Amino acid sequence: MRLLANLALQNLGRRKARSLLLIAAVAIGSGVVFTGATLMRSIDDSMAAGFSRLGADMMVVPEGALTNITAALLTVEPTDLVLDADVLAKARIASVGRAAPQKIARVEHSGIGSHHDLVDLVGFEPAHDFTIQPWLREKLNREFRAGDVILGAGRDVPLGSQMLIFGKPHVVYGKLGRTGVGTHERGVFMSFETLEALAGAVPQHGSSRPAALAPGKVTGFLVELAPGATALQARFAILSAVKGAKVVTGDSSLSGIRQGLSALLQGILALMVLMFASMAVMVSVLFSAIITERRPELGLLKAIGARWPQIVGMMVVEAVIATGVGGVLGVTLGVLVMRLYERSLVYYLENIGVPFVWLDLPRMAAFAAAAIVLAAAIGALGAFYPAWRASRRDAYDLVRGEG
Amino acid sequence: MLVCRQVSKSYRTERGVVTAVAGIDLDVPAGRFAAVIGRSGSGKSTLMAMIGGLSRPSAGSVEVDGTDVWHLSDNALAAFRNEKVGYVFQFASLLPTLRLIDNVALPAMLGRRQGASGTYARAAALLERMGLGGYLDAYPAEISAGEQRRAAIARALINDPALLLADEPTSDLDEQTEIEIMDVLRTVNREVGTTLVLVTHNLALAEQAQQIVHIANGAIVA
């Protein structure tokens, strides 16, 4: 009813200071929740992108293989020694989160570059890979498929052009960004299927072709630890389960940072939930006090024939207006804070090469709507019970300020 | 019109049970002007609240215009308060955030018996009749206590109630304003035929009534 809605609005205007304080408190609460949720989600997405770029936690390679350890484990090194492709899958090691098998064959006379150039042909499984594809700087607008190759940043061939490798045509599907890791810079990346199809065309070195080209064999695995697992646990588990393998760890701090940040984000989420809960309690207490103060007015409304849903409705509308406005202001405040954040920290992070992926607009809008709706819902819930209780009292008790 | 049978009201307090009204029988025929008099704390306001559907009796029954008030459902009781009874309190009872015309129209708007334009036209006419035609858009704080009381009477009459209950409507007003308010109430009773029950501790006011009920210690003494 319009008159009761007007009454609700005018009641808010009657106690301007209190209404403004309530709106401010809800604005701060919902602003923190909106900003926190958006930033957390953005950081989470950025971590997913950033950490996948940082590479694996460890490599599993044949025992005798030489390894070139870089800060970021992105590819295994070329070697003639191989492991069975299914060796880690069979071992079912709990501390291994993800394992990406790779085949590397260092070849010459491939048709790429000058005649004697050594070229690393790197095979990977697109479905399991987490160290090559995150570096894709540009790619064709379609799925990666057999016959496609991805080139390291050191090779300058246009996207979509045909590249002959040992006389066989391949399509340049994508190019990687600069990683600073040699194998990545000069490598030509392709699926296992594409690499194995080249085996017959690769000239033999001495008595045999590179062993990694054989089906069912891999040069090694890049391993990401399972959440909560330590590098030491994984190392012992792998060494005891996989005969003839050695484990090479990279920068051990990476998995620690990854796991630490995940825990931190969960902690922030818990704090946000607590903050929202405390806001709900505060609004409820405040409306309980407001309704106590306005018992005579509610009693008067009852006395002239207002039904209890009308009385409860008026109080709930009043609360929803106040907390809804607080929610809208909170989201606005949050957007301003994030603009500030974007101009300072995000700008700095991106300048030093750490990617920061903002949440896309539809999801950010959904978060904003959710924050406003939650704020309004808190107001509605906070006002409903004390209003309902008051509306059930005798009108005469309410008029006299009792009950 | 109004029939009370053995109406009682007791309160439980820290010092035990306090009886405010003890088994009152009262009959007021339709169209009559009755006055309930008694000292402060005698139970007359509590009796009025039970008659008006504002306070549930501990025992007994209240019948208004053939309706057993305290056997009504919540919604029906709200409708009864809205349609059958007009209540004038002993204090300024207008909602401070609404204009006078909104205050007067509010009971009709709550009852949704007629459209907003008809309700507001009637509210304006009632305020005009109360001598407040120039204050339709004024807020309660902008008019005097006597004018507020007259506006409250206009609000009580907006739904054409069968019963007008006035609980010490002139309690804190000067003598001249008291006379004006009583004139208004008597005119409504006489010209519209609305049954009027007036609670007062002022014998001079009570003497204007056709029926006087004297209450002391929650019971009728005369």
Side-chain angles (χ1 to χ4, degrees):
Chain A
M1 182 182 165
R2 203 166 57 86
L3 199 57
L4 285 177
N6 279 347
L7 197 56
L9 260 177
Q10 284 159 344
N11 282 330
L12 283 171
R14 187 166 55 163
R15 300 274 190 177
K16 283 194 181 66
R18 186 171 62 190
S19 300
L20 286 176
L21 282 174
L22 170 65
I23 289 170
V26 174
I28 291 168
S30 47
V32 166
V33 168
F34 167 66
T35 313
T38 306
L39 282 179
M40 209 178 79
R41 199 67 249 170
S42 302
I43 290 170
D44 212 27
D45 286 357
S46 304
M47 271 171 59
F51 279 130
S52 58
R53 281 191 154 196
L54 290 173
D57 295 317
M58 54 179 54
M59 287 194 293
V60 179
V61 293
E63 205 167 13
L66 291 173
T67 50
N68 174 16
I69 302 173
T70 59
L73 299 179
L74 297 173
T75 63
V76 292
E77 284 288 309
T79 172
D80 282 338
L81 300 169
V82 288
L83 291 168
D84 288 341
D86 58 356
V87 70
L88 275 186
K90 277 184 180 169
R92 293 173 183 273
I93 299 165
S95 48
V96 171
R98 289 196 289 179
Q102 284 190 359
K103 291 167 177 273
I104 297 200
R106 182 162 289 172
V107 296
E108 55 182 340
H109 314 300
S110 62
I112 303 170
S114 61
H115 191 61
H116 289 288
D117 269 1
L118 286 173
V119 176
D120 287 335
L121 301 179
V122 183
F124 67 98
E125 285 187 326
H128 295 112
D129 166 64
F130 58 90
T131 63
I132 295 166
Q133 291 167 106
W135 285 94
L136 265 173
R137 191 186 66 215
E138 49 182 332
K139 66 180 184 68
L140 296 179
N141 191 22
R142 61 166 174 78
E143 291 295 303
F144 184 64
R145 62 190 180 210
D148 286 346
V149 293
I150 294 170
L151 302 181
R155 300 192 180 277
D156 189 20
V157 181
L159 275 188
S161 60
Q162 195 180 68
M163 175 182 255
L164 291 173
I165 306 174
F166 294 114
K168 291 193 167 191
H170 294 77
V171 176
V172 177
Y173 172 79
K175 290 187 192 176
L176 302 183
R178 291 208 172 273
T179 61
V181 176
T183 331
H184 257 213
E185 299 300 277
R186 64 177 180 269
V188 176
F189 301 84
M190 60 193 77
S191 66
F192 276 8
E193 187 186 353
T194 309
L195 186 59
E196 285 165 10
L198 277 174
V202 176
Q204 292 192 357
H205 268 298
S207 59
S208 64
R209 292 190 176 88
L213 296 181
K217 298 293 178 189
V218 296
T219 311
F221 297 89
L222 289 150
V223 169
E224 187 184 277
L225 295 176
T230 65
L232 203 61
Q233 284 171 336
R235 173 193 282 272
F236 281 119
I238 292 166
L239 290 178
S240 64
V242 183
K243 301 297 172 209
K246 77 172 177 182
V247 175
V248 181
T249 49
D251 185 348
S252 61
S253 63
L254 291 183
S255 55
I257 292 170
R258 191 193 335 255
Q259 289 164 354
L261 265 177
S262 290
L264 182 69
L265 288 181
Q266 281 169 8
I268 292 172
L269 180 69
L271 277 176
M272 279 182 354
V273 169
L274 275 178
M275 179 155 188
F276 225 64
S278 67
M279 192 170 89
V281 171
M282 181 203 73
V283 169
S284 187
V285 168
L286 186 64
F287 268 90
S288 190
I290 288 173
I291 285 164
T292 301
E293 179 192 292
R294 289 186 20 211
R295 275 185 296 212
E297 180 188 323
L298 300 183
L300 185 69
L301 283 169
K302 265 196 101 162
I304 61 174
R307 292 183 298 278
W308 75 264
Q310 290 173 317
I311 291 173
V312 172
M314 184 186 78
M315 296 308 298
V316 167
V317 164
E318 195 175 317
V320 165
I321 290 171
T323 51
V325 168
V328 171
L329 284 180
V331 166
T332 311
L333 203 68
V335 169
L336 291 176
V337 167
M338 283 191 287
R339 293 283 295 174
L340 207 67
Y341 187 77
E342 190 172 22
R343 283 169 187 271
S344 52
L345 192 58
V346 175
Y347 180 75
Y348 171 73
L349 286 173
E350 285 183 346
N351 262 358
I352 61 169
V354 177
F356 189 87
V357 185
W358 277 109
L359 209 59
D360 53 78
L361 199 61
R363 278 198 296 171
M364 208 185 276
F367 275 26
I372 293 167
V373 169
L374 268 176
I378 279 177
L381 289 175
F384 180 83
Y385 180 65
W388 177 80
R389 226 176 46 166
S391 74
R392 310 301 289 175
R393 303 291 306 184
D394 269 353
Y396 190 57
D397 292 343
L398 291 171
V399 165
R400 293 194 306 169
E402 296 170 357
Chain B
M1 180 347 141
L2 168 63
V3 180
C4 298
R5 288 289 173 265
Q6 288 301 300
V7 176
S8 303
K9 181 77 179 182
S10 303
Y11 296 99
R12 208 173 286 280
T13 69
E14 287 175 3
R15 285 175 292 171
V17 176
V18 173
T19 301
V21 174
I24 283 184
D25 289 326
L26 176 65
D27 290 83
V28 180
R32 184 173 283 189
F33 172 13
V36 179
I37 61 165
R39 296 181 62 182
S40 295
S42 59
K44 52 191 189 303
S45 289
T46 306
L47 175 65
M48 285 284 268
M50 290 189 288
I51 292 170
L54 307 190
S55 181
R56 184 173 289 279
S58 306
S61 66
V62 176
E63 205 173 284
V64 175
D65 213 11
T67 304
D68 188 348
V69 177
W70 292 104
H71 277 91
L72 295 173
S73 66
D74 278 356
N75 277 345
L77 185 59
F80 165 80
R81 287 190 291 251
N82 184 252
E83 295 164 14
K84 297 271 186 181
V85 180
Y87 212 106
V88 183
F89 291 93
Q90 58 182 303
F91 52 87
S93 59
L94 300 175
L95 295 174
T97 53
L98 295 185
R99 298 171 304 162
L100 282 199
I101 191 146
D102 295 325
N103 264 290
V104 174
L106 187 56
M109 298 298 282
L110 287 172
R112 298 178 192 143
R113 284 200 305 172
Q114 55 180 307
S117 58
T119 298
Y120 272 81
R122 179 163 164 70
L126 278 167
L127 283 169
E128 189 77 43
R129 195 164 129 203
M130 298 294 156
L132 296 169
Y135 298 100
L136 302 187
D137 292 327
Y139 286 88
E142 295 167 359
I143 58 175
S144 71
E147 288 165 335
Q148 286 186 34
R149 214 57 59 89
R150 276 188 275 153
I153 294 170
R155 183 184 61 196
L157 296 173
I158 185 84
N159 282 338
D160 279 329
L163 179 62
L164 183 60
L165 302 173
D167 185 3
E168 306 216 35
T170 60
S171 61
D172 52 356
L173 302 177
D174 61 75
E175 198 175 339
Q176 183 56 39
T177 310
E178 186 177 86
I179 291 166
E180 286 171 18
I181 297 293
M182 282 310 297
D183 279 349
V184 168
L185 291 174
R186 275 208 317 264
T187 305
V188 169
N189 168 246
R190 197 171 50 241
E191 291 180 1
V192 185
T194 308
T195 309
L196 172 63
V197 180
L198 170 78
V199 161
T200 181
H201 58 266
N202 184 332
L203 195 56
L205 292 183
E207 279 170 351
Q208 299 176 31
Q210 297 156 309
Q211 178 183 350
I212 299 176
V213 180
H214 195 152
I215 290 183
N217 297 321
I220 293 178
V221 291

